Amino acid sequence: MVKITDAVDPGNAGGSVLIPEITIEPNRPVTFKCDKCGEAFADREARRQHIFDHHPFKRPLLMVGSRMVNERGQVIATPFPPADWVIQQTERIVIDQQEVTSRQACQQLSQLTSGFHEVTLTSADHAVTYHIEFDIPNDAQLAAVERVFNMLIVNQPLESDRIAQLITVVKQEDGARFYLEGVSDFLYGVLAKDQRGGTSLSRDDYTAKFHAAREALRFMDRPLANLIKALVNFNDNAFSEAEALAPDGQVAIACRMLNGLRSGKHWPAPDTRIASGHNLPVDTLTAEIMRFCSLTLAEQQEQLPQLEHLASKRLTTDHDRVKIQALAMNAYWETGEHARAASWAKKLRHSPLFEDLATRIIEEVEND
């Protein structure tokens, strides 16, 4: 009987087969090399820390007027001199497929007034492409927006039909497009927040409209544009930014008072009532808050019940409610009603804006 192993040739004519010796080397430690300089590290974390400390990622950056340009799409609606254009961490610059130096780029960007343009900045690590639309109006176009605004909006009831008429007339007069968009978005936001004037917007739409207005007017340096941006910042409780844009009148008084409370200080009421100082329609809550801040202490004391009522309303926004609570807390403290001030302070003990002052008031009342 044939065995299966009989068909296997053992090699070497049936003789023994020499098996070579295999040299066994000791295991070498695993190392992680830096792609930048070749230095080796024992683990990934050590290499990561080395790269972070010695080879930081350099992302190109384009700025104008001390603000970063949005690479996903930016509108420039006001002129800037070459010195206001800043390019950082960049080795190569291409504008509309033409390579230029940094100085040439800033000069060229300052001269563009219309159209879509592409700016690509490249560093050793990364390339960023900015898509920028230039739509810089002339003085006549800017004046057209303000003239129609004064005619149709100032001292008139704010209604959606009136805003639509503003848009139609400005377009007929070839007014500044993004200036008009910013103004109209803000006005629509006021109607949405108050749910008045025949608006079809929901109340929740007001924030989007306010922020769209601020973005459209981002680089616009006109009194009306700055006031709108200030009021949007005030609505968002960004008091310092709001005051920088509107340094006079009720807006500034309210910002200074609320910013003072935010810094943990009691804030005295004005000695005399402050006039509004602007003719821009605002939503009811903002108007009431700014008006209260502009009153004398005796007038604030008289108006406190009305202010407390606003804080309890269901439709009062969270941003406005915290402002109202802080003003009530301060007013009661300034009029000597410390227990009532502490009662309002308890509502703010976990507020990121006013917790310092609230905590101090609570502690002072409890330690009396």
Side-chain angles (χ1 to χ4, degrees), residues 56-187:
F57 181 84
K58 292 184 178 180
R59 182 182 180 84
L61 184 65
L62 178 62
M63 301 179 68
V64 60
S66 301
R67 301 169 209 173
M68 288 189 293
V69 174
N70 187 347
E71 64 190 76
R72 291 174 294 178
Q74 181 69 64
V75 175
I76 303 297
T78 192
F80 289 95
D84 281 359
W85 289 93
V86 177
I87 299 171
Q88 296 179 340
Q89 301 181 162
T90 300
E91 296 179 1
R92 185 170 181 262
I93 305 168
V94 176
I95 298 180
D96 296 333
Q97 302 181 356
Q98 181 180 357
E99 186 169 352
V100 293
T101 66
S102 177
R103 183 175 181 179
Q104 290 171 334
C106 295
Q107 187 69 36
Q108 186 173 334
L109 291 169
S110 71
Q111 294 172 348
L112 294 173
T113 59
S114 63
F116 291 87
H117 299 270
E118 190 175 90
V119 180
T120 300
L121 307 181
T122 305
S123 70
D125 301 305
H126 198 67
V128 178
T129 297
Y130 296 87
H131 301 278
I132 307 175
E133 179 183 0
F134 288 82
D135 190 353
I136 299 176
N138 55 40
D139 289 339
Q141 291 172 311
L142 294 168
V145 177
E146 294 163 354
R147 182 175 62 254
V148 179
F149 175 85
N150 290 333
M151 178 178 67
L152 295 177
I153 304 300
V154 174
N155 297 325
Q156 300 291 338
L158 186 60
E159 300 171 344
S160 57
D161 289 345
R162 193 170 288 277
I163 301 173
Q165 187 180 2
L166 166 74
I167 296 170
T168 300
V169 175
V170 169
K171 285 183 176 179
Q172 290 173 347
E173 297 193 16
D174 190 28
R177 176 164 63 102
F178 287 99
Y179 196 9
L180 173 62
E181 284 187 12
V183 171
S184 57
D185 274 337
F186 175 78
L187 296 176

Side-chain angles (χ1 to χ4, degrees), residues 9-18:
D9 181 6
N12 197 26
S16 60
V17 178
L18 296 176

Side-chain angles (χ1 to χ4, degrees), residues 185-196:
D185 274 337
F186 175 78
L187 296 176
Y188 278 127
V190 170
L191 294 187
K193 189 175 180 183
D194 276 354
Q195 286 295 285
R196 61 182 169 98

Side-chain angles (χ1 to χ4, degrees), residues 226 229-235 238-247 251-252 255:
N226 288 337
K229 289 182 286 186
L231 288 168
V232 174
N233 285 330
F234 183 81
N235 182 79
F239 308 124
S240 297
E241 293 85 345
E243 185 183 353
L245 290 162
V251 181
C255 287

